[in-house]
Amino acid sequence: MSNPKNSIAILILAAGASRRMGQPKQLLPWGNSTLLQHAIRQAKGLDINKIGVVLGAYAQKIQKSLSKYKVELLMNPNWEDGLGSSLAYGIKNLMNTEQTLDGILVMLGDQPLIDTSYLKRLMEAFASENKGIIVTSYGNRVGVPAVFSSRYFSELTDLDRDQGAKEIIRKYKGDMYVVDPEGKAIDLDTKEAYDALLTKMGL
């Protein structure tokens, strides 16, 4: 019997300019790696064959840092249009190379507490809950990491703004299952947030 995970791909969004951070956060140290390398390592822990990483700002510099990782690097020429553009670009590329996907797990490159065990919980929910959108809870809102069924791919590829998949999630909330990340879903948007988390984690 084939591995059901082979019908899922992973898409890591890492194309932003990190303006609030003041430097490329994809390259910030995290333990013995960078933030983006760490995200890729967590994704690799799922033993999924297809992992795409969307790059944009600082693409050449980031690309060099990923030379030893077996992932598909996707250079979004319109990355400045925002998260929605990078999400659409990434899904289009994965659809072109993988014809039989049941779903795509979307994650960010700047959430270092999101680990393989949490990503497995999302995957398990996708397999067992009979819902087409598995999302992460942020208290009064939801977002990524999230798994989207292939039935939403065409709408996701139409995104072109900075809202990401929020409108699609809102539109199809009846087909949504929410997972509690238990404090793991922390975005690092500023140097202060990054430094505070490093201190907290003893890194």
Side-chain angles (χ1 to χ4, degrees):
M1 187 176 175
S2 63
N3 184 351
K5 289 180 181 176
N6 290 343
S7 62
I8 303 288
I10 299 176
L11 185 65
I12 303 175
L13 303 178
S18 315
R19 290 187 180 91
R20 291 171 62 193
M21 186 69 73
Q23 57 187 303
K25 57 185 170 183
Q26 300 94 327
L27 297 172
L28 287 173
W30 185 263
N32 61 352
S33 66
T34 66
L35 281 180
L36 182 52
Q37 288 170 347
H38 177 74
I40 291 171
R41 288 180 183 179
Q42 303 316 302
K44 289 273 189 187
L46 291 178
D47 193 28
I48 285 176
N49 293 336
K50 189 72 174 181
I51 300 176
V53 181
V54 182
L55 300 180
Y58 319 110
Q60 283 187 312
K61 193 179 287 188
I62 296 167
Q63 189 174 4
K64 286 179 186 173
S65 75
L66 302 179
S67 59
K68 68 178 181 179
Y69 292 88
K70 290 185 178 178
V71 295
E72 184 173 355
L73 300 179
L74 308 170
M75 309 297 176
N76 179 16
N78 301 312
W79 65 268
E80 289 183 89
D81 291 343
L83 196 63
S85 167
S86 289
L87 180 55
Y89 184 81
I91 288 179
K92 277 177 192 166
N93 276 271
L94 290 177
M95 286 171 64
N96 287 339
T97 56
E98 299 289 317
Q99 301 299 320
T100 58
L101 288 177
D102 292 328
I104 291 177
L105 167 58
V106 178
M107 54 188 290
L108 303 176
D110 64 347
Q111 294 186 314
L113 300 189
I114 294 291
D115 54 13
T116 299
S117 67
Y118 179 69
L119 297 175
K120 281 180 179 173
R121 286 177 58 203
L122 294 174
M123 295 282 292
E124 286 162 2
F126 185 66
S128 65
E129 296 297 334
N130 198 30
K131 296 289 186 181
I133 304 174
I134 310 298
V135 293
T136 294
S137 171
Y138 287 81
N140 60 354
R141 64 184 181 88
V142 296
V144 296
V147 186
F148 293 93
S149 163
S150 58
R151 62 179 171 270
Y152 297 113
F153 287 179
S154 62
E155 286 186 67
L156 287 165
T157 60
D158 286 337
L159 295 172
D160 60 1
R161 297 190 300 278
D162 201 29
Q163 288 299 304
K166 287 178 186 175
E167 290 175 28
I168 292 169
I169 291 171
R170 195 178 300 122
K171 184 177 177 182
Y172 297 106
K173 61 184 179 182
D175 193 28
M176 178 177 77
Y177 182 82
V178 182
V179 179
D180 181 0
E182 299 172 355
K184 293 180 178 179
I186 296 174
D187 294 326
L188 298 182
D189 290 326
T190 65
K191 186 71 165 56
E192 292 75 19
Y194 168 68
D195 288 341
L197 192 58
L198 282 180
T199 300
K200 181 180 177 182
M201 302 302 293
L203 295 172

